Amino acid sequence: MTELILALDLLDRKQAARVAESCAPFIDAVKVGYPLVLATGLSIVDDLSGLGLPLIADFKVADIPNTNRLISEAVFSAGFDAIIAHGFVGADAARACVEVAHNHGGAAYIVAEMSHPGATEFFHGGVAERLATLAVSCRADGIIAPATRPDRISRLREIVGEKTIYSPGVGAQGGDLDTVARLVDGVIVGRSIYEAEDPAAEAERLSRIRR
Ligand code: O7M
């Protein structure tokens, strides 16, 4: 089964809660990032916790180990179940996020390669492969890999083996749902769902990957 993860990139608390609630039966987790948390505060977690779904904090954490640790503590104390961090800051910094996550019984994922066109400037030429290797050595739970480049997902799968791969970039960014769903453990979808006239109906349509 491939998971469907809703990227809840909205700026309005009530709209975010409404979309998440209506989509809840058709999704496996909710990813919350800077847009929603900066607009509403960390208390948005309280609004979403009643959904009974894992909440993933996408702060792409990228600081020194001590600051990464403090950020991760704040994330898990707020009630999140998982955190996403960058790996380019080095194994010690990434490991700080992983350790805090595991101490809280949560999970940590490392960005191996991003989905937008500009990502090729720095992530290609061996960097994404090194980040995937780092994720394995830091005992991260998985990586983020681009739905816009299925060939790259396959390459990164060779490195991370059975570890989880979550993949954003389906729909609005051009990635094909069915192609990507066969390669990854979870697909992260934002605009295709929350900008749809009927977000729940769109989530239900996309949830065919869960079967
Ligand atoms: O479906 P979209 O394009 O509206 O949203 C995609 C979501 O995935 C959005 O929250 C992005 O910030 C996120 N994302 C990417 O689009 N590309 C990446 O390379 C990485 C992420 C991400 O989730 O990183 C953890």
Side-chain angles (χ1 to χ4, degrees):
M1 178 190 113
T2 308
E3 294 178 14
L4 178 61
I5 300 167
L6 171 63
L8 199 55
D9 296 325
L10 293 164
L11 299 174
D12 181 81
R13 177 184 290 267
K14 283 198 179 123
Q15 188 192 0
R18 206 165 44 236
V19 168
E21 202 173 313
S22 68
C23 294
F26 313 113
I27 60 177
D28 300 286
V30 178
K31 183 178 79 75
V32 175
Y34 289 113
L36 185 56
V37 163
L38 291 176
T40 66
L42 270 178
S43 61
I44 188 68
V45 174
D46 301 330
D47 297 34
L48 300 175
S49 58
L51 299 171
L53 292 170
L55 300 179
I56 303 172
D58 176 13
F59 297 145
K60 297 187 181 69
V61 185
D63 215 309
I64 62 169
N66 188 59
T67 308
N68 274 8
R69 190 168 293 112
L70 294 171
I71 293 169
S72 303
E73 286 290 354
V75 159
F76 286 97
S77 298
F80 280 102
D81 302 285
I83 192 165
I84 297 172
H86 271 303
F88 63 76
V89 280
D92 53 353
R95 196 174 292 118
C97 296
V98 175
E99 283 173 3
V100 173
H102 292 174
N103 286 344
H104 284 266
Y109 304 98
I110 302 294
V111 178
E113 177 171 328
M114 297 189 71
S115 59
H116 58 301
T120 59
E121 286 176 44
F122 287 99
F123 284 99
H124 283 188
V127 173
E129 285 84 346
R130 288 175 64 192
L131 291 168
T133 303
L134 176 146
V136 173
S137 71
C138 290
R139 306 171 67 90
D141 297 271
I143 60 166
I144 306 298
T148 48
R149 294 182 211 97
D151 57 319
R152 297 292 300 153
I153 297 175
S154 300
R155 170 70 190 115
L156 296 170
R157 173 64 81 195
E158 289 171 12
I159 297 170
V160 302
E162 302 274 283
K163 280 198 189 289
T164 297
I165 300 183
Y166 285 149
S167 188
V170 158
Q173 297 181 52
D176 178 65
L177 181 75
D178 295 315
T179 305
V180 174
R182 280 192 287 274
L183 303 173
V184 303
D185 302 277
V187 173
I188 298 171
V189 182
R191 285 166 286 181
S192 296
I193 294 176
Y194 66 73
E195 287 183 353
E197 206 165 302
D198 184 344
E202 184 60 11
E204 182 172 21
R205 196 181 70 78
L206 299 177
S207 73
R208 65 180 183 269
I209 62 170
R210 300 165 78 199
R211 292 191 288 272

